[in-house]
Amino acid sequence: MHARRRFALRATVAALAGAGLMSAATVGAQEVGAATADVPAASAPSNAENNTARASADRDAAVVTVTGTRQAAQSAQAIKRNAEQVLDSIVADDIGKFPDKNVAEILGRVPGVQVIRQNGEAGNVVIRGLGGITTLYNGREMFTAAGRSLFLADVPVAMLQRVDVYKSQGADMVEGGTSGVIDVRTNRPFDFKGAQAAFNVRAEHRDKADKIDPNVSGLLSNRWKTAMGEIGLLGGLSYQRGRYHDETAFVGEPRTIDRGIIGAPSMGRVMSGGDRERLAGNLSAQWRPSSDLELYAESFSTKIDHDSQSIFFVGDLPINNPGSTVTPMPGSNYLGSISNPNVNTFTLSSTQARRDDSETHQGAVGAIWKATPGVRVSGEVVRTVSKYSQKNPILDTVMNMSKAINAEVRDGGGYLEYPGTDMTDPANWTMFALFDNHNRSRGAATDWRGDVAWTPEADGFFKELSVGARHVQRDASFVHELNGYTAAPNSFTPNAIKVTDFPGLNCTSPKTGGNYGMNQFYAPCRDYLLDNTGAIRQVIKGNPNPQPDNPLSFYSDREQSSAAYIKANFGFDAWSLPIDGTAGLRYVKTKQRISGFSSTAGVVSPVTVSSTTNDVLPSLSMRAHFRQDLIGRLSASKAIERAPFGDFNPGLTLFPSTTTTLATGTAGNPNLMPQEARNVDVALEWYFAPAGSITGTLFQHDYENYLRRSARPETYDGLTYNVSRPYNAVEGKLKGAELAYQQFYTKLPGWLGGLGMQANVTWMDGGLAEADGTINTFAGMSKLSANLVALYEYGKWSGRIAYSWRDKFTAEYNYRALPYNIVVDPLKTLDASVSYKLTDKLTVTLDGSNLLDQSYHDYHSVPELPRDVRRYDRVVGLALRWRN
């Protein structure tokens, strides 16, 4: 009987949370209280769609704000423990207080999640080695411009309550994301007892950029009881500035050079940097006119202004030149070093200037109504608009003079120097070519959903039955410039255009932090290119006007998706073993109409393609409660992932070869099928303490119609182009295991009792079956990754040290259509933060990221043929945080 009562409590609270009738803060309070009492706690929100309102519990219910490192870990553990699906959650230590700056950086410590850092922050996120992630904001689909998902680095942590990473999906969840779903959750006014205020001021220093930048955020919230019912309002605002510096020393693609030695014909640098400003805000209003009805409205907006540059230096090596000395690596035929005392090889410095402007806005209104004691009805309308534009002038300059050159493969990278030549002197450089580039994209969606849930009065097999429907119309468009490339007149002659004729144009590259040989070189100034593009156009093209749009690059896609689902929550005892779970079915019908342009024999004509797909997505998730603290879990589901909108573009764009670029092309495939995944997870979870657990998960994903873009030679009008297109691979398979451990050592004496640890490791294997029967592992997938986090909270002190590691992986197969793959060496990062409470309301925090100054190193199939050594900023921040 005691077991049955525990099971009934679980099922009741799970039903309330799943229906959105309990706030996340209430769920957290129940979780903490129940876990402390060693009783299974409230369920985490059971889905990403049915709980979008996340309304509070009944008016008189107590709301407890969970704060502190240990309590946040405890709450996250309870969410994982009681969730219907396989998920991991990260909960804020305090209001919006995370040890990282944006959502992407937070996720790097979740089991099975891997991130890549660039442009001064973590940005690219994969789950279990793969992309194809659906991003949600409070359970609603969210995206950036014409993309399928939200760029997670654009969401500041200041407004977050928690982040949920779903690795399995239920019938009531928004379809999409064959590898997983990331749901970003923010605070709402009913999450707090009353008035709440929090402000954070942070300054951060980046060592390679040598800049100090501000990060300011604030939140105000309150709730009132009025004659019209209870009303709550919340507003949050965040401003971030980040000036960053990334640097790359590269070695060109391998080929056979002097005396049959395999090596690169060129080496160089890429010095990237930028000035990025992000402004984000959110508003939330809740109104409960009675205990049975809640109405809400909320919005989120983010605006990013980003000026950046990539300064390329390309130095051709004196292969097959008289007087060159070529030395192979000892015992091999790979290039070790090459030098020439006086040679005039091709030497280029190019500044790719970018001015990016991005805006994303989402607004939602909805209601939850308890129609009868057993029936709940909810509905919501969402409007999302996002736009992006980029101005991207690229100016190539060259040095035309004889000089000494020394180059070698050193420490896994390229070392290049020009003894006796001032590479920074503008007098040595002339204009070579202009790429007059621009692009813009836009996305918009109107999304409606409605749900009805029925809880039977009798405690039988069925605990809850729910049905729902969703309809969304999504529009996406994109276009870029026509024929951006123009060669400068009179190159390599005495009449070449001198860069010194434009005094504001001439800069010097930043100094390199690594030892790659030549430390600085001449480079066109980014700001001059952006602000005076017309002057450069005039001298190279003969007119100051920008290039028109390329019709072959344009596409406009309207996608209408209608979905309906039915789901049942059930529970029963099997030979005294309590078992609960959900079973459901989701039906999705998608209509797509894409318009673009195509070219036949040089004639450009419009083309429109329409298609319709129907998908049936079953799901089953079950939990077996072997003991009060031991849970077994089985989840099986089918998921689909639609191709990126640009992949459907019917147009073909060809780029003829130039002195510095190969002949290439891009094209879409309007007849692409959705990628399908059949996913199975089996887990065993032992929760031996409120914030202590050991969990293990075995998973397998079987893919059909796997989406992949690859470049293959294609011939048009007698010329061969390396054309990149999306393809549906035949099939793929991914299997793996996750093991995670968490514990606070509270029984240790004194200050040692504040110690805690989180550790996880993920192993993966699998790949795609190629047409010839061979199997290649998934690009971007590390077979092994691990995280180790040391936690501490005692008295006024708290802190953490987080170490992340991922094994080597193949980033790209058949790089540039050559018989080489790009392989990335293992990546290691170390981040840390420490906080001290000056008063009950004021906390100071010192944090650092990339403390190991980890370099990114990749190579062409074998380490003796390196490609890039990339180094990023080490960041140290100091913050003051106040809350009432």
Side-chain angles (χ1 to χ4, degrees), residues 543-822:
N543 72 78
N545 301 318
Q547 291 296 105
D549 292 341
N550 183 357
L552 291 178
S553 72
F554 171 80
Y555 69 82
S556 177
D557 195 337
R558 168 160 290 185
E559 184 179 271
Q560 293 182 317
S561 179
S562 299
Y565 77 88
I566 181 170
K567 188 187 81 166
N569 289 30
F570 58 84
F572 60 93
D573 285 358
W575 299 281
S576 301
L577 176 64
I579 294 177
D580 61 5
T582 65
L585 191 70
R586 188 177 187 89
Y587 168 75
V588 185
K589 182 176 183 178
T590 304
K591 295 181 178 180
Q592 192 170 64
R593 184 177 186 273
I594 184 164
S595 299
F597 294 87
S598 192
S599 177
T600 304
V603 178
V604 177
S605 57
V607 58
T608 298
V609 180
S610 298
S611 63
T612 300
T613 59
N614 296 274
D615 296 283
V616 178
L617 309 176
S619 61
L620 172 67
S621 183
M622 299 178 64
R623 295 182 300 178
H625 301 267
F626 298 110
R627 291 195 323 235
Q628 187 167 288
D629 58 351
L630 185 64
I631 296 174
R633 192 184 299 270
L634 169 66
S635 178
S637 62
K638 178 183 176 182
I640 60 170
E641 176 190 343
R642 303 181 186 97
F645 289 105
D647 284 356
F648 293 102
N649 186 359
L652 168 67
T653 304
L654 299 176
F655 303 95
S657 63
T658 70
T659 305
T660 59
T661 63
L662 300 174
T664 60
T666 60
N669 183 352
N671 298 312
L672 285 174
M673 298 292 293
Q675 177 177 297
E676 296 181 2
R678 290 167 175 81
N679 305 328
V680 177
D681 289 76
V682 179
L684 186 63
E685 303 165 357
W686 178 31
Y687 298 98
F688 55 82
S693 62
I694 298 176
T695 63
T697 304
L698 301 176
F699 58 86
Q700 179 168 308
H701 305 296
D702 294 327
Y703 295 99
E704 293 182 5
N705 301 320
Y706 192 87
L707 299 173
R708 186 183 60 182
R709 176 174 286 271
S710 61
R712 303 175 185 177
E714 298 181 13
T715 301
Y716 297 93
D717 297 327
L719 299 177
T720 299
Y721 298 82
N722 201 28
V723 178
S724 174
R725 291 180 181 271
Y727 296 92
N728 284 118
V730 178
E731 62 181 16
K733 187 183 292 291
L734 175 68
K735 61 182 179 181
E738 295 170 350
L739 181 65
Y741 163 75
Q742 173 175 277
Q743 186 174 6
F744 279 86
Y745 306 104
T746 55
K747 294 184 179 180
L748 293 176
W751 62 270
L752 293 175
L755 291 171
M757 178 185 291
Q758 294 173 331
N760 61 73
V761 61
T762 302
W763 172 83
M764 295 174 291
D765 191 22
L768 295 175
E770 305 294 340
D772 61 0
T774 60
I775 296 178
N776 285 328
T777 58
F778 293 101
M781 184 192 79
S782 295
K783 285 195 172 184
L784 196 64
S785 63
N787 294 281
L788 181 63
V789 183
L791 304 170
Y792 187 76
E793 185 173 59
Y794 187 81
K796 296 183 177 182
W797 290 95
S798 64
R800 72 184 67 206
I801 301 175
Y803 177 77
S804 297
W805 176 89
R806 63 180 296 191
D807 202 358
K808 69 177 183 180
F809 59 93
T810 299
E812 187 174 345
Y813 287 95
N814 299 120
Y815 177 62
R816 295 187 175 178
L818 296 171
Y820 297 99
N821 303 326
I822 298 300

Side-chain angles (χ1 to χ4, degrees), residues 96 98-102 105-107 109 117 157 800 831 849:
F98 288 89
D100 304 278
K101 191 176 65 174
N102 67 55
E105 293 180 346
I106 292 172
L107 294 171
R109 288 186 286 279
R117 297 175 187 247
V157 299
R800 72 184 67 206
D831 303 332
S849 62

Side-chain angles (χ1 to χ4, degrees), residues 207-238:
D207 66 337
K208 295 174 183 60
D210 195 22
K211 302 293 184 182
I212 298 177
D213 293 316
N215 185 332
V216 182
S217 62
L219 176 145
L220 294 172
S221 178
N222 206 351
R223 57 192 294 180
W224 304 270
K225 292 183 178 181
T226 72
M228 297 185 299
E230 191 164 15
I231 296 174
L233 295 174
L234 178 147
L237 194 64
S238 171

